[in-house]
Amino acid sequence: MPQPPYRHAPPILPKSFSPAELAEIAEGIFRENRWERAIQALEGVSRAQDFETDHWLVTCRKDLPDEMLVNGGFPSALPQLRKDLLQEGAKAYGFWLLPDEALEDWALVSQLCRDSERPSVGLEQWAGAAYGQPGCSWASEQTPRTRAPMTHAATFATSRFGVALEPSGVEVSRFRKAKTGRRTTQVKPLSQLPDWRGHLVSPNYLRVIKGAIHAVVFLGCAAFTLDLVTNKYPKAIETFSWPILCARLGGLACAVWTAILFLSMSRGALTLASRCLPRRGRSFWFTFLDCHKDLHIAAGQAMVFYSALHILGHSIGTIPGILQSDVNELNQLLGCAQGTSGPNLFYWDLHVLHWPPCPLPASAKPKTFTDALFMTMPGLTGVLLLVLLVLVALTSRQKFRSERFETFWRLHNLVILFWPILLFLHGSQGWSGIGAPLALLVCGLPVLVYLLSRLVRLLRCCLPSPSLVRAVIRGETEEGSLVQLEVARPRCWSWRNTGMYAFICMPEYAPLQWHPFTITSGEDDHTVNFLISGIGDWTQELCRRCCTGRLPRLILDGPFTAPTQTALEKRVLVAVGAGVGVTPFISLLSTLLAELTSGRSHRLVEAHFYWMTRDPTEFIFASRLLRTWLRHEILQAKIFIHLHCTAKEVLQNLPAFLFREAVKRQSQVDRHHFKLHLARWLDSSEVQTPGPQFPWAWAEGGHEDLLWVRCPSFECKGITFKSFTGAGGTSSNDPELLVEPPELLPVVLGRPNFRRDVAAIGKARPDMNVHVYVCGNDGLVHDLQSVCESCARESLARKRTPLQKYVLHYERFG
């Protein structure tokens, strides 16, 4: 039966969607509406509360004071409720007390009302200082002013924010506009121009140093082995075959690496050597001296390899040769059997240590492989050395050290004592030597230097220890707490460079444990300060004892050299600290502030300090330095501080969500106003001081979220700080530093964009090298290393003199 025809034609489906249609569909599907739903819920609650209180408001209006009325009408508690919500949400990110300026009705609070287009107070402070009128309007056309006198401001280059080269060769900011007749064209950003280039210095001198030492040790030992076997003992190859070369090479290399191992632990000698370094090439030599921990680990690894080579050579060559050879033949070969007539450089009679006797009697000749291992001095001491090496290798792993540090440290001390003794006995037989044990000639002086440094530490334990003047603790529990120690400067404390570190011992708890901590005080401070995080048993016990009110006895050993020492000699430097990794740079900042404010001549042109932390309360421990920095414009012209909060986003928390979204939306408003006036501010003068409120990330074209906060203080409410003063402890704070500065400081919510910032710093100073100092985890070090390499790769195409260098320095402990 035929189907009836359709009354209407079916719709014609499109063959494909246009990009605009797809974007519209995607916006409806993936649109994030949590913010709208949260605001609607708050408004609904407020309307319900207003409805319930309308009758009370009408009856009581005449009895209410004027300050409770809004515009002469009814009182409103909603703004205060919004402030309380934002304050509670800010605590989830570590901001325990936001300033009232950040919570004004036209700032974060107004974001909850959806009616804010006014910039934050911190940004208006910067505008007021830049235009000469505090609190100036952004809509007004004011004449910008220079913040600092030109003698000081001349060190600041506005090309920090990107420079481009006009055909005439004059540098102009990429934010400025070049007028050509009636037409206005935007200057092309420098990042798109192949005009500026520099040069790379390898950011890892350590790799070069380690490779060079490995090559020198191998080549030197190989040359000595060839001379020993071919010239002094030519019959050794016939008797023991070619494995004797591996055995002698491995044995000598073990002795050399033992010497390097002991030298790498002689920190006092390394510190003395650092003071005698020539001015030229100090960065390389400081890296060489400071890489003692890396060389210590490399020495241990090399000793494992060369020990295996030494054992293999004797096992397949020397021992079978001894078992198969006649006694007379062996005595003609052995160096100890020939006495003073043998191939010796000099002869030291050690026959009292010979086992078996030398010349070798027929009855004492080893008969089996086991006899050669356990019935001879070289064999038995070799087995004991191997046992010590295996124990150290197993207990030196990071996991074992963190879980059983006491066991690791005790075993390490025993090995330090017995290893050189066994090594000396191992070569005392002199079967194929130079007349004296090689260990004595190669390792004698390094071991003596190390023992001298341990003797100095022992004397410090016996002498009266410095008193603990003050301890400030942040946190209610020992785990995760921060402890700031202020220790009276010990006698004979040789403090000449900033950023050094010292070892601290708490003898009442663990007399054998010495832990390294960076010194945060400057050269001009009267105390030796430390900032310690409670992440281990020892540090938590230190916090626990300080909380009792009876400050523990501490012993200091140091100070010792660190890579931050070279920072004072740099003209352009970038210092990056993560968490308590900022401690060496607090010391550096303290020294720089003291030197610049005292009028002393200094090579510094521009210094940038980046402090990243998940908990912004850590900024409080640098409050004295921040307040000093805010008081002097000359410091603000050379030193720039970047604070970053890297706390993770808090989920399933309404106040935290509202706070974070309010900051994000207010930052969009602030960026809009800032970009409108940045170019005009840059055009105001060739050189200007940006000021402490200046949002550096936005000036570089970034889109980070910023929050302006007060300078942190120990008097901040809501944060648990405990302060304990020891005997003779007094407050050394400057009364002027106790006054809260009016300036608000920008804190970036998120990690810095180092690729952008380091490149911009280099663009501003194309004729100066950029030195990057970092103290943080391996991931941060690798990121900055790749940043330096990336900046240098872009710069290699241009041949410009002088060549600009990017150098990375990172902190090491051990």
Side-chain angles (χ1 to χ4, degrees), residues 267 271 457 460 466 487 490 493-495 499-505 514-521 528-530 532 538 555-562 811-814:
R267 300 175 185 87
T271 303
R457 176 178 289 185
R460 284 175 173 165
V487 185
W493 183 263
S494 181
W495 178 253
M500 304 178 78
Y501 71 97
F503 280 83
I504 301 180
C505 176
W514 293 80
H515 295 266
F517 297 101
T518 301
I519 302 170
T520 60
S521 53
V528 183
N529 300 345
F530 302 91
I532 301 173
W538 192 91
I555 304 175
L556 304 184
D557 185 22
F560 300 116
T561 181
E811 188 82 7
R812 308 172 194 89
F813 280 136

Side-chain angles (χ1 to χ4, degrees), residues 63 137 338:
D63 300 329
S137 173
Q338 302 177 35

